[in-house]
């Protein structure tokens, strides 16, 4: 009886392993977001330069739009990369590496949550700072009309949150390295975008810290494919911070 049961179960083992491998490749949030980014980028190449500029300005989270109550830009601005088509097709694969690793470890819901906490949170904080600066005449009022779209704030939050997937002895190195890069960008270029990167990274590190506390124990070590994704995502983050 035992032998017959063992024989009946034996053929199912390769199927289970195969299902596990295929399920690891199912990353709906990453695939959907990257597909939309590419579709929008291709669509913008099919319109005139003036129309493209109007579309980008309409989707921008600049002070003009936000103070007029166009809060939908907090969502729409995350779907435009804000670069030329050639640049988009260069950086989006690296962005996909970052998102894929986060989705593998955190799941689709938490990835989306982390990304939009960074995107919306940093955008709102930067907008408040700019509003105060404009009212105080510390910066020219024309800054209210600049184009402000892109994926970098949300991405930097994901970078920060990934501290939770690293071994405990590497977490301080990860956090310290990216904070140094982000602060370096602020010091070198003095733009509100650099400040937003720093704020988004801090928000992501906060999410990562909460994740570590909830995990309680040691995180499952990264495997080789995940280290490849981490390298691609890190390269993307470097381009965002120092490019």
């Amino acid at each position: 009886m035992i032998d017959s049961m063992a024989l009946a179960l034996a053929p199912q083992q390769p199927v289970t392993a195969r299902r596990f491998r295929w399920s690891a490749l199912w990353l709906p949030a990453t695939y959907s977001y990257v597909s939309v980014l590419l579709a929008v980028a291709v669509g913008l190449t099919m319109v005139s330069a003036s129309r493209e500029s109007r579309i980008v300005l309409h989707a921008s989270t600049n002070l003009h739009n936000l103070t007029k109550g166009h809060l939908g830009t907090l969502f729409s601005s995350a779907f435009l990369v804000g670069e030329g088509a050639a640049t988009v097709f260069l950086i989006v694969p690296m962005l996909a590496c970052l998102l894929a690793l986060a989705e593998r470890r955190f799941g689709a819901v938490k990835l989306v949550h982390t990304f939009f906490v960074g995107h919306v949170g940093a955008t709102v904080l930067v907008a408040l700072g700019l509003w105060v600066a404009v009212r105080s005449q510390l910066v020219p009022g024309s800054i209210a009309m600049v184009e402000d779209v892109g994926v970098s704030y949300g991405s930097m939050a994901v970078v920060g949150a990934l501290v939770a997937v690293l071994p405990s002895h590497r977490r301080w190195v990860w956090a310290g390295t990216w904070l140094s890069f982000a602060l370096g960008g602020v010091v070198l270029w003095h733009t509100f975008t650099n400040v937003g990167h720093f704020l988004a990274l801090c928000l992501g590190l906060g999410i990562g810290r909460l994740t570590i506390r909830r995990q309680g124990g040691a995180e499952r070590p990264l495997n080789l494919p995940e280290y490849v994704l981490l390298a691609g995502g890190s390269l993307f983050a470097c381009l965002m911070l120092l490019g």
Side-chain angles (χ1 to χ4, degrees):
M1 180 65 177
I2 295 177
D3 291 342
S4 62
M5 290 178 63
L7 290 173
L9 291 173
Q12 298 178 3
Q13 293 175 355
V15 176
T16 302
R18 186 163 55 250
R19 285 178 180 172
F20 175 79
R21 288 195 295 271
W22 279 109
S23 66
L25 297 176
W26 176 237
L27 305 169
T30 299
Y31 298 154
S32 299
Y33 185 56
V34 167
S35 297
V36 173
L37 286 177
L38 293 175
V40 171
V42 171
L44 289 177
T45 64
M46 300 179 180
V47 301
S48 64
S50 60
R51 183 168 178 79
E52 178 183 356
S53 181
R54 288 196 299 271
I55 292 172
V56 173
L57 281 174
H58 182 73
S60 292
T61 51
N62 53 33
L63 278 181
H64 174 76
N65 283 337
L66 293 177
T67 55
K68 293 292 184 180
H70 300 161
L71 300 183
T73 59
L74 292 171
F75 179 77
S76 62
S77 60
F79 292 91
L80 287 89
V81 177
E83 304 286 349
T87 305
V88 170
F89 286 98
L90 173 66
I91 67 173
V92 166
M94 291 183 285
L95 170 62
C97 290
L98 175 68
L99 300 180
L101 176 58
E103 187 169 1
R104 278 176 59 88
R105 286 309 187 104
F106 300 146
V109 173
K110 186 168 182 179
L111 168 61
V112 173
H113 171 262
T114 301
F115 186 94
F116 277 99
V117 164
H119 179 75
V120 175
T123 297
V124 170
L125 290 172
V126 168
L128 287 173
L130 287 177
W131 182 81
V132 172
V134 169
R135 293 293 295 268
S136 304
Q137 298 184 343
L138 297 175
V139 296
S142 59
I143 201 170
M145 293 295 296
V146 299
E147 294 182 0
D148 187 16
V149 297
V151 302
S152 58
Y153 290 176
S155 301
M156 290 313 304
V158 175
V159 169
L162 285 177
V163 71
V165 310
L166 297 172
S168 58
H169 64 280
R170 294 181 181 174
R171 288 169 180 165
W172 286 108
V173 176
W174 179 264
T177 299
W178 290 115
L179 285 171
S180 298
F181 282 165
L183 283 173
V186 174
V187 172
L188 288 174
W189 290 289
H190 309 289
T191 70
F192 69 83
T193 301
N194 296 117
V195 174
H197 290 158
F198 175 74
L199 294 173
L201 177 63
C202 291
L203 290 171
L205 287 170
I207 293 172
R209 178 60 181 168
L210 290 174
T211 302
I212 292 170
R213 293 184 63 180
R214 290 171 182 170
Q215 286 172 178
E219 177 63 19
R220 174 172 58 85
L222 295 173
N223 55 35
L224 181 57
E226 289 174 332
Y227 271 115
V228 172
L229 294 176
L230 184 65
S234 298
L235 179 58
F236 170 81
C238 286
L239 292 176
M240 293 297 99
L241 290 177
L242 304 177

